[in-house]
Amino acid sequence: MKIAVIKTNDAQTALLARLMRAEAEGEGELGMLMVGNVGVNRVRADCLDFGDIRTLEQMVFQRPGGFEATTKGYFYQRARSQDIRLAKRVIQGERFHPATRSLWFFMPTGDCPAQWYGQWNTGRFKSHCFFSPTESDCPQI
C-alpha cells in the first residue's frame, strides 16, 4: 500500500477528483493527473502564495489565486469513480512531467511564456502550460 503525501479523507479526495475533472477533463487522464499534481503540490508547498494552505479544501477554494472551475456548475457534480481513482494516485505521490513540481498552470491563447508571475515554465501538455518555483523558493515540493 502506498502512503499518502498529504492528509486527506474520502470527501477531500472526491473534492480533488472534481477539481481535476472540471479543470482538465478535455486533456484526458494525464492532463487531469497533472492538475492533481498542482493541487497536491500547493497543499505541500508552505511557500510563496501557498504558505497558509494546509488542506485540500483550502487549496481548492483559495481566493485570490484559486481555480476558475469552482465558479462553474460542472465542478459541483458528484465525483465519478474513475476521477476518484486518479485523485488517489496523486495523493499517493505519483507525479507527471511537466507538473512534477508545478504550483501553477494556465491555458494561453498562444505559446507558453517563459515565465508567469515570476515562475518558470516547465513545459506544456496539450493546451495547458505549467510553471514551477525554484527549489530554493519551495524546497518542500
Side-chain angles (χ1 to χ4, degrees):
M1 181 174 161
K2 293 182 179 181
I3 306 283
V5 296
I6 59 171
K7 290 182 182 181
T8 187
N9 60 36
D10 289 345
Q12 292 170 332
T13 300
L15 180 66
L16 179 61
R18 290 175 19 223
L19 179 72
M20 292 165 60
R21 179 191 67 214
E23 286 283 345
E25 184 176 38
E27 308 277 297
E29 284 194 2
L30 186 54
M32 291 170 61
L33 287 163
M34 289 181 193
V35 167
N37 281 156
V38 169
V40 168
N41 288 344
R42 287 181 177 190
V43 174
R44 296 178 75 192
D46 195 20
C47 61
L48 302 174
D49 297 336
F50 311 102
D52 293 329
I53 303 297
R54 295 290 170 274
T55 68
L56 285 168
E57 291 97 343
Q58 290 172 335
M59 178 274 297
V60 169
F61 296 108
Q62 181 183 14
R63 296 288 183 266
F67 294 93
E68 181 182 350
T70 62
T71 66
K72 310 260 192 282
Y74 188 57
F75 169 77
Y76 292 93
Q77 294 180 10
R78 190 175 65 80
R80 303 172 301 192
S81 60
Q82 64 262 36
D83 304 329
I84 291 170
R85 179 181 49 80
L86 295 176
K88 286 179 178 179
R89 288 176 64 186
V90 296
I91 289 167
Q92 293 171 349
E94 282 191 59
R95 295 179 182 212
F96 303 89
H97 181 77
T100 306
R101 295 188 72 255
S102 293
L103 292 174
W104 303 272
F105 65 88
F106 82 105
M107 188 183 323
T109 54
D111 293 337
C112 296
Q115 285 191 321
W116 192 51
Y117 292 104
Q119 306 305 312
W120 291 102
N121 175 256
T122 53
R124 181 180 198 128
F125 180 76
K126 295 188 177 182
S127 60
H128 286 96
C129 302
F130 291 84
F131 299 83
S132 301
T134 64
E135 281 199 43
S136 60
D137 282 342
C138 292
Q140 301 86 337
I141 56 169

